[in-house]
């Protein structure tokens, strides 16, 4: 006798995914759309966005794409207006924009600090602030902040990203504590080593003659699972957290890293 199967659905939810044209963002947008959500995919590069939308369309998956530089407050406000006009009020927000910037502390200029905080921390603050009143009114909301495991355990030469991401973790907890009364669930997902365009580019720079699989296995030597993760594996958890099934998980920062983080 089979029990009731777990139905992880996002039917008719309006979901915004920033940094949506590649890697993790694209995988999350795909999984959300496959699960029934109306998805707004945001990114800075119009060409990459269009290519991503067309790639999904070839697989029979419809998403809406919006060119938006989330490091700019005006861009966020304008795009939020467009998305709500096109799709309706936002139920699920995934703050995923921003590639890693890691260098020795003494080499990070004020300008680089400011850029990183605008792109990672302030983008999440500004976008969340816009969707918050509607989520509160409807008594339903999900916000997922995509961070990295350096947020919990910053290594040497990990600034400015580790600091921006650590601030994102505090933001997650503060928002979760306020959102709880209104059924707005806020969580962070911490990336370890995930196969993404960033790594494809680095492979091309560092070891273009080597096999990419061998390159990623080499990178993953310190990972208990012995390999890099896939964007799809990351998207699986995002979808669960954004569905009805994730209804009692809030205010937590989950390592999606094959065990790589030295802290829980």
């Amino acid at each position: 006798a089979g029990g009731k199967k777990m139905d992880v659905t996002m039917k008719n939810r309006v979901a915004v995914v920033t940094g949506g044209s590649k890697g993790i963002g694209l995988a999350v947008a795909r999984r959300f759309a496959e699960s029934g959500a109306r998805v707004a995919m945001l990114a800075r590069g119009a060409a990459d966005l269009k290519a991503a939308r067309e790639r999904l369309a070839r697989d029979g998956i419809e998403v809406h794409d919006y060119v938006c530089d989330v490091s700019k407050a005006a861009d966020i406000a304008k795009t939020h207006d467009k998305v709500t006009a096109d799709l309706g009020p936002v139920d699920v927000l995934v703050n995923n924009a921003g590639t890693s910037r890691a260098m020795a502390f003494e080499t990070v200029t004020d300008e680089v600090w400011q850029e990183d905080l605008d792109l990672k921390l302030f983008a999440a603050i500004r976008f969340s602030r816009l969707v918050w009143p509607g989520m509160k009114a409807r008594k339903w909301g999900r916000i997922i902040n995509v961070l990295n495991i350096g947020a919990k355990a910053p290594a040497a030469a990990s600034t400015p990203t580790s600091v921006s991401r650590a601030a994102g973790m505090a933001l997650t907890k503060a928002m979760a504590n306020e959102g709880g009364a209104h059924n707005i669930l806020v969580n962070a997902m911490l990336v370890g080593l995930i196969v993404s365009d960033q790594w494809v580019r680095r492979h091309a720079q560092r070891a273009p003659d080597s096999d990419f699989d061998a390159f990623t296995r080499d990178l993953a030597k310190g990972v208990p699972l012995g390999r890099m993760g896939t964007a799809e594996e990351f998207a699986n958890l995002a979808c669960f957290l954004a569905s009805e099934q994730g209804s009692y998980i809030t205010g937590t920062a989950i390592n999606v890293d094959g065990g790589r983080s030295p802290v829980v």
Side-chain angles (χ1 to χ4, degrees), residues 58-220:
R58 282 196 294 275
D59 296 335
I61 298 164
E62 189 201 359
V63 297
H64 303 259
D65 62 315
Y66 300 83
V67 176
C68 177
D69 180 351
V70 294
S71 69
K72 297 183 166 63
D75 258 36
I76 290 177
K78 197 173 65 197
T79 306
H80 174 259
D81 286 348
K82 264 193 217 145
V83 170
T84 50
D86 293 349
L87 305 178
V90 177
D91 301 300
V92 179
L93 170 64
V94 181
N95 291 307
N96 168 64
T99 52
S100 176
R101 291 187 90 173
M103 53 195 103
F105 165 73
E106 65 183 324
T107 67
V108 190
T109 62
D110 279 9
E111 189 184 28
V112 171
W113 275 112
Q114 193 61 61
E115 278 170 14
D116 207 68
L117 287 163
D118 280 337
L119 177 61
K120 293 168 186 163
L121 179 63
F122 276 96
I125 289 169
R126 289 166 174 151
F127 229 124
S128 299
R129 202 167 49 205
L130 288 173
V131 300
W132 195 266
M135 289 178 174
K136 229 164 122 172
R138 295 188 306 281
K139 286 270 184 226
W140 204 98
R142 299 280 195 271
I143 297 174
I144 297 171
N145 293 319
V146 178
L147 310 174
N148 69 17
I149 59 173
K152 290 183 186 178
S158 67
T159 57
T161 286
S162 58
V163 176
S164 303
R165 295 313 194 191
M169 209 157 66
L171 176 69
T172 299
K173 195 65 170 170
M175 290 199 309
N177 285 336
E178 286 187 41
H182 311 286
N183 194 36
I184 303 172
L185 279 50
V186 189
N187 292 289
M189 292 175 59
L190 277 57
V191 179
L193 288 170
I194 300 273
V195 177
S196 68
D197 285 37
Q198 278 188 74
W199 290 112
V200 174
R201 283 199 306 273
R202 272 181 222 186
H203 172 249
Q205 284 162 2
R206 286 183 202 168
D209 304 328
S210 73
D211 173 57
F212 184 69
D213 287 340
F215 173 74
T216 60
R217 267 197 312 278
D218 203 44
L219 283 168

Side-chain angles (χ1 to χ4, degrees), residues 201-254:
R201 283 199 306 273
R202 272 181 222 186
H203 172 249
Q205 284 162 2
R206 286 183 202 168
D209 304 328
S210 73
D211 173 57
F212 184 69
D213 287 340
F215 173 74
T216 60
R217 267 197 312 278
D218 203 44
L219 283 168
K221 278 197 180 116
V223 179
L225 286 187
R227 62 176 179 84
M228 289 176 78
T230 66
E232 290 69 34
E233 288 174 306
F234 195 90
N236 288 339
L237 179 63
C239 189
F240 179 80
L241 290 173
S243 75
E244 284 303 337
Q245 306 295 338
S247 54
Y248 200 61
I249 304 167
T250 194
T252 194
I254 304 169

Side-chain angles (χ1 to χ4, degrees), residues 10 14-33 37-43 49 63-66 68 70 83 90 92-97 127 144 146 238:
M10 291 179 65
V14 174
V16 168
V17 182
T18 71
S21 64
K22 295 178 192 156
I24 284 169
L26 179 55
V28 169
R30 174 190 286 271
R31 182 52 47 89
F32 281 8
R38 297 201 295 277
V39 178
M41 204 164 70
L42 277 52
L49 255 184
V63 297
H64 303 259
D65 62 315
Y66 300 83
C68 177
V70 294
V83 170
V90 177
V92 179
L93 170 64
V94 181
N95 291 307
N96 168 64
F127 229 124
I144 297 171
V146 178

Side-chain angles (χ1 to χ4, degrees), residues 148-154 169 190 253-257 259-264:
N148 69 17
I149 59 173
K152 290 183 186 178
M169 209 157 66
L190 277 57
I254 304 169
N255 301 332
V256 187
D257 69 341
R260 183 171 183 243
S261 171
V263 295
V264 293

